């Protein structure tokens, strides 16, 4: 059975029936790549130049960050096909049926932050390009009109759901990629790969800058961790896991295209219009328009429109889905409209009343810092469970029931929760974003922001220690038993309480 793209999706976080799963790993690739093939990623690509690196040093930092980030992200694609639901619900197996709200709120906050960033960056590029091309006034009214256009179109696509979003991304991936490649022609005469950067040879700031740039790039793939299940849940359960992981991995490796565009054009801006690359007040979009030939203004506007739609839909779709998973009385459509409306209000208040455009970028970084340890706990949990889960027990929270394999202690699994709280808290203490947020331990690494590596390492070690010291019930591991850790003969309470709501499929 195939659902039309014009038919509104009714599924929430209940398990997607096998008959409705017609997506392929390549569809996952398109959605994940499309969500990052935008101006927002180009802005991240400019950071190595902002940090003073040369073009080649910046390219090395970008490739390093992309590969490591993609490797961290790829395993998170497996939960969707396996359990037929999103990753937040799947996390019930490791945090408890109540503890899974951690994943829901992390993805909720991340989605709102990235939805705002995509609307602001794309709206600014669209208005800026139109101003240079046809003299459109760059006033608050025109910016507000551009933001409303993006946000409204995105909300409509997300209300229709996954199939419509997939259709939009089929067009967006190809179109945005062609426009970025066209940029190679536009900037070929100005591009100088020998751009030396601003750091002198042997500068003590080189390694902090290199590692910081790599971590900023790495944060982009990590930001998708909580959302992969939103899209991969439509992939049939019998799809080879290697293909699912490869799709997620390659979707991030492919973002070398917008990252390279941002890096190359930032080096041009630094050489020809250095005032736009002032680290104290960077303006990449303004600098891009200042150095671009006039004929490329139309492609810039098209990239802004297409990219804003692609990123916005992948962010807002997950937002509505996760809200409906925390408050199951809301349908997916109701939750999407509700959260979408609140997000649009936030976008306008944050841009015009509170000037939060810089703050939201910092907030997004901090949320990703907290999400990375959660991803590690999910991956280790998957390995220790040998990839075995009970989809029925995962839905206990959504059905307002109690008990089951993942009930643990009143619906909370202190092993996963403690590992996440400690590792995320420690990672936040190591954050070093000069001028924005510096944690109490942020200067211990000589100015290098090591928050993500610290969070990842502490989560991995602490979670395994807690699983070994406090064995989980034998029943959560399935027929083959645990891997790497031991289990306990702890009784599992039966599932009791409310009946499944109408339309849910076990």
């Amino acid at each position: 059975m195939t659902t039309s793209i014009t038919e509104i999706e009714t599924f929430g976080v209940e398990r997607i029936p096998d008959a409705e799963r017609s997506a392929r790993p390549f569809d996952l690739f398109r959605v994940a790549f499309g969500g990052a093939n935008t101006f927002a990623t180009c802005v991240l690509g400019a950071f190595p130049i902002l940090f003073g690196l040369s073009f080649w040093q910046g390219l090395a930092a970008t490739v390093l960050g992309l590969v490591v980030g993609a490797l961290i992200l790829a395993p998170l694609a497996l939960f969707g096909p396996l359990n037929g639901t999103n990753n937040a619900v799947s996390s019930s197996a490791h945090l408890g049926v109540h503890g899974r709200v951690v994943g829901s709120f992390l993805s909720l906050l991340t989605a709102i932050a990235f939805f705002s960033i995509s609307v602001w960056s794309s709206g600014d590029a669209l208005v800026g390009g139109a101003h240079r091309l046809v003299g459109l006034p760059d006033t608050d009214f025109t910016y507000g009109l551009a933001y409303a256009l993006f946000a409204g179109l995105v909300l409509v696509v997300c209300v229709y759901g996954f199939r419509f979003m997939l259709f939009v991304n089929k067009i967006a991936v190809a179109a945005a990629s062609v426009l970025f490649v066209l940029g190679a022609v536009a900037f070929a005469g100005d591009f100088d790969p020998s751009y030396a950067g601003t750091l002198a040879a042997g500068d003590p700031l080189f390694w902090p800058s290199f590692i910081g740039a790599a971590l900023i790039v790495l944060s982009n793939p990590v930001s998708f961790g909580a959302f992969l299940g939103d899209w991969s849940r439509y992939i049939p359960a019998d799809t080879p896991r290697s293909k699912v992981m490869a799709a997620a991995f390659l979707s991030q490796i492919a973002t070398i295209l917008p990252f390279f565009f941002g890096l190359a054009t930032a080096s041009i801006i630094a050489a020809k219009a250095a005032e736009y690359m002032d680290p104290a007040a960077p303006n990449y979009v303004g600098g891009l328009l200042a150095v671009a030939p006039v004929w490329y203004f139309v492609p810039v506007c098209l990239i802004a429109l297409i990219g804003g739609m692609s990123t916005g839909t992948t962010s807002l779709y997950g937002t509505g889905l996760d809200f409906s998973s925390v408050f199951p009385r809301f349908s997916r459509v109701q939750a999407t409209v509700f959260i979408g409306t609140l997000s649009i209000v936030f976008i306008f208040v944050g841009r015009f009343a509170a000037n939060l455009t810089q703050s939201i970028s910092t907030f997004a970084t901090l949320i990703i810092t907290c999400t990375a340890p959660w991803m590690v706990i999910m991956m280790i949990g998957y390995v220790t469970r040998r990839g075995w889960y009970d989809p029925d027990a995962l839905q206990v929270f959504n059905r307002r029931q109690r008990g089951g394999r993942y009930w643990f202690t009143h619906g909370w699994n202190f092993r996963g929760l403690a590992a996440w709280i400690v590792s995320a808290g420690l990672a936040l203490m190591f954050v070093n974003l000069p001028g924005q947020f510096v944690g109490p331990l942020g200067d211990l690494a000589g100015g290098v922001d090591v928050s993500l590596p610290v969070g990842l390492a502490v989560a991995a070690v602490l979670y395994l220690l807690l699983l070994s010291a406090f064995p989980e019930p034998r029943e959560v591991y399935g027929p083959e038993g645990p891997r790497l850790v031991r289990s306990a003969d702890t009784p599992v309470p039966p599932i009791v309480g409310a009946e499944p709501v109408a339309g849910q499929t076990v």
Side-chain angles (χ1 to χ4, degrees), residues 325-385:
S325 74
V326 177
F327 301 97
R329 294 187 183 279
F330 280 82
S331 69
R332 187 200 64 82
V333 172
Q334 291 171 329
T336 299
V337 172
F338 177 71
I339 291 297
T341 303
L342 289 182
S343 299
I344 292 171
V345 171
F346 174 80
I347 285 170
F348 278 86
V349 172
R351 172 63 170 81
F352 298 113
N355 193 26
L356 295 177
T357 50
Q358 291 293 330
S359 300
I360 197 67
S361 299
T362 304
F363 176 69
T365 301
L366 298 180
I367 290 298
I368 291 168
T369 301
C370 294
T371 301
W374 178 85
M375 293 170 64
V376 169
I377 290 167
M378 290 285 286
M379 286 186 280
I380 291 178
Y382 181 94
V383 171
T384 59
R385 304 286 176 85

Side-chain angles (χ1 to χ4, degrees), residues 118-381:
S118 70
V119 169
W120 285 333
S121 61
S122 296
D124 290 349
L126 180 62
V127 172
H131 173 70
R132 293 286 303 276
L133 186 64
V134 298
L136 179 74
D138 53 349
T139 63
D140 284 350
F141 175 78
T142 54
Y143 281 111
L145 196 62
Y147 299 155
L149 172 66
F150 279 123
L153 289 174
V154 166
L155 182 57
V156 170
V157 173
C158 291
V159 166
Y160 275 97
F162 176 77
R163 302 295 174 189
F164 202 170
M165 184 176 70
L166 187 59
F167 172 74
V168 169
N169 273 274
K170 285 180 180 179
I171 300 173
V173 166
S177 298
V178 169
L179 292 169
F180 279 129
V181 172
L182 189 62
V185 178
F187 296 103
D190 295 320
F191 175 57
D192 181 7
S194 65
Y195 173 76
T198 58
L199 291 179
D203 196 307
L205 291 178
F206 171 74
W207 283 112
S209 299
F210 182 87
I211 295 173
L215 290 176
I216 285 177
V217 174
L218 181 148
S219 70
N220 199 55
V222 169
S223 70
F224 284 89
F227 304 130
L228 281 187
D230 299 347
W231 316 319
S232 65
R233 66 198 180 116
Y234 277 97
I235 297 175
D238 59 358
T239 303
R241 299 178 184 184
S242 59
K243 291 186 177 181
V244 177
M245 290 181 62
F249 177 81
L250 293 175
S251 71
Q252 299 309 304
I253 297 301
T255 61
I256 190 64
L257 180 61
F259 271 112
F260 184 88
F261 182 91
L263 178 68
T265 52
S267 68
I268 297 172
I269 297 168
K272 298 185 63 176
E275 65 274 15
Y276 290 100
M277 296 302 288
D278 181 0
N283 182 4
Y284 170 76
V285 173
L288 180 68
L289 293 171
V291 301
V294 174
W295 67 266
Y296 195 64
F297 289 167
V298 171
V300 165
C301 293
L302 291 174
I303 291 173
L305 179 62
I306 295 169
M309 283 289 294
S310 190
T311 299
T313 53
T314 53
S315 298
L316 188 58
Y317 177 79
T319 307
L321 192 63
D322 274 305
F323 188 81
S324 69
S325 74
V326 177
F327 301 97
R329 294 187 183 279
F330 280 82
S331 69
R332 187 200 64 82
V333 172
Q334 291 171 329
T336 299
V337 172
F338 177 71
I339 291 297
T341 303
L342 289 182
S343 299
I344 292 171
V345 171
F346 174 80
I347 285 170
F348 278 86
V349 172
R351 172 63 170 81
F352 298 113
N355 193 26
L356 295 177
T357 50
Q358 291 293 330
S359 300
I360 197 67
S361 299
T362 304
F363 176 69
T365 301
L366 298 180
I367 290 298
I368 291 168
T369 301
C370 294
T371 301
W374 178 85
M375 293 170 64
V376 169
I377 290 167
M378 290 285 286
M379 286 186 280
I380 291 178

Side-chain angles (χ1 to χ4, degrees), residues 20 28 65 89 93 131 245 258 310 324 417 428 447:
E20 295 289 339
L28 174 63
V89 173
H131 173 70
M245 290 181 62
S310 190
S324 69
L417 285 169
L428 288 174

